[in-house]
Amino acid sequence: MIEVQSISKHYQHGGKSIAALDNVSLQIASGEIYGIIGRSGAGKSTLIRCLNLLERPDSGHVSLHGEDITRLDERALQQRRQRIGMVFQHFNLLRSRTVAANVRFPLELAGGQSPAQMDARVDELLALVGLQDHKHKRPSQLSGGQKQRVGIARALANHPDLLLCDEATSALDPETTDAILALLADINRQLGLTIVLITHDMRVIRQLCDSVAVLDHGRVVEQGKVLDVFLAPQHAVTQSLLAETGMGQGALQGIWRQRVATPVIKLTFVGEPTLQPVLDKVGREVGLRVNLLSGTLSEIKDTPFGQLLAGVVASDVDVSALPAIFAREGVRCEVL
Ligand SMILES: Nc1ncnc2c1ncn2[C@@H]1O[C@H](COP(=O)(O)OP(=O)(O)OP(=O)(O)O)[C@@H](O)[C@H]1O
């Protein structure tokens, strides 16, 4: 478990004090992928840098697996940091070193291993990220995605128990982004490694994360399981971030409310019911005929989900009875 307890951080700028983080608390379960999302200036970079104390909070505590690292002296903290991997947006590779030598670098800093042991570990890491055939190249000879694979291998070198990703895919094209997200998901599964990432992109949260915190003006305005937050976003910032990726339904609902005279229902399918002909079944049972207004089918991490907006043209039962009838089939029904 990683616990962030009431951390605050202020910066002085032009004689003014800016609250980059204002009383932020998070609980991150071991082995999960936790995303922190927010708009530019929300405090994401400051928060992720507080998790390994590259940035010291003014107040509050950060505990990693039961150890309060805010109490460690500088020497102990440096040692502890060796087991916190970090992946950067712009890769931060050493240009004069080969791929293998970049990955070897943190092993050399940590010390305690023979050259042969370090070389064997480098080979293991390059195999993990699929770069065995590129070990003698320089960073300038690699694509962006390959550079990030080197960054990930380097971050894993000293067997970290926490991996921090600072906008790890923001500099990459969509296809390469998907490949890097798949690699991170794989590493999380294979190694059971806790991953905390910051991003401004809800698609990254949807594809990769188990839990999410939404940051706005230095405060956590919403947090929870990704599925819950996506299906019922509470805060305006979350709703607008979702709307930008086409996953918000607010605007659509507004349009149909004005134009459609019949009652409108919203059906939300999560998991197995998404793959079943539930609407057809209920339709036959209670004489429900609908006019489909919009529909989406998507995936949140590995869980399929779908949403349908439909106008009720005819029904043998009162529309208010429909939520209970759909609930029996494992589908959420809201009358809008
Ligand atoms: N070293 C600094 N000195 C002064 N102000 C800072 C410093 N670092 C960050 N800030 C301010 O703190 C606030 C939070 O910044 P931070 O970089 O953490 O946000 P962010 O969500 O990561 O933004 P972005 O997505 O643009 O990187 C902003 O108002 C920023 O201007």
Side-chain angles (χ1 to χ4, degrees), residues 11-13 18 20 39-47 167 198:
Y11 292 111
Q12 305 305 322
H13 189 68
I18 300 164
R39 298 198 181 282
S40 185
K44 304 180 296 291
S45 306
T46 307
L47 177 53
E167 296 274 11
I198 60 170

Side-chain angles (χ1 to χ4, degrees), residues 98-105 122 126 134-137:
T98 62
V99 165
N102 265 282
V103 177
R104 206 175 192 268
F105 192 51
V122 168
L126 291 180
H134 301 271
K135 67 186 280 191
H136 301 302
K137 287 188 180 166

Side-chain angles (χ1 to χ4, degrees), residues 245-262:
T245 51
M247 285 182 277
Q249 294 229 341
L252 208 58
Q253 284 174 21
I255 293 166
W256 289 115
R257 233 185 248 276
Q258 287 164 21
R259 304 244 175 115
V260 179
T262 55

Side-chain angles (χ1 to χ4, degrees), residues 148-223:
Q148 197 55 296
R149 285 173 191 269
V150 179
I152 292 169
R154 179 184 58 186
L156 298 176
N158 286 316
H159 300 280
D161 54 12
L162 172 62
L163 182 66
L164 304 177
C165 300
D166 182 353
E167 296 274 11
T169 54
S170 296
L172 305 175
D173 63 53
E175 211 170 301
T176 312
T177 293
D178 284 351
I180 293 294
L181 296 181
L183 175 64
L184 289 170
D186 229 40
I187 286 166
N188 165 258
R189 261 194 302 268
Q190 273 189 45
L191 309 178
L193 179 62
T194 312
I195 299 179
V196 180
L197 61 90
I198 60 170
T199 182
H200 61 273
D201 186 351
M202 271 295 190
R203 279 165 298 202
V204 171
I205 302 285
R206 188 188 72 182
Q207 263 172 269
L208 190 61
C209 298
D210 300 296
S211 301
V212 61
V214 182
L215 210 58
D216 184 46
H217 291 99
R219 292 180 178 205
V220 175
V221 294
E222 185 156 1
Q223 62 179 312

Side-chain angles (χ1 to χ4, degrees), residues 203 206-207 227 230-231 245-247 269-271 274-275 295-307:
R203 279 165 298 202
R206 188 188 72 182
Q207 263 172 269
L227 209 58
F230 270 55
L231 294 180
T245 51
M247 285 182 277
F269 305 78
V270 181
T274 317
L275 312 170
T296 54
L297 180 63
S298 190
E299 255 188 339
I300 294 179
K301 203 160 186 194
D302 300 324
T303 306
F305 88 104
Q307 282 186 326

Side-chain angles (χ1 to χ4, degrees), residues 29-94:
S30 296
E32 78 171 333
I33 305 184
Y34 197 100
I36 297 163
I37 190 161
R39 298 198 181 282
S40 185
K44 304 180 296 291
S45 306
T46 307
L47 177 53
I48 202 162
R49 288 166 63 82
C50 280
L51 293 183
N52 57 4
L53 297 189
L54 284 178
E55 205 74 71
R56 274 217 174 250
D58 305 330
S59 56
H61 296 273
V62 178
S63 297
L64 305 183
H65 309 294
E67 182 182 32
D68 183 349
I69 60 168
T70 44
R71 294 187 196 280
L72 297 178
D73 63 31
E74 205 46 43
R75 206 177 122 83
L77 182 59
Q78 268 183 13
Q79 291 249 312
R80 184 64 185 86
R81 272 203 202 111
Q82 281 169 2
R83 283 184 298 116
I84 307 173
M86 192 149 188
V87 178
F88 303 92
Q89 180 177 0
H90 297 295
F91 325 121
N92 296 10
L93 302 179
L94 296 168

Side-chain angles (χ1 to χ4, degrees), residues 18-29:
I18 300 164
L21 295 176
D22 183 5
N23 201 20
V24 168
S25 295
L26 301 174
Q27 287 200 337
I28 300 168

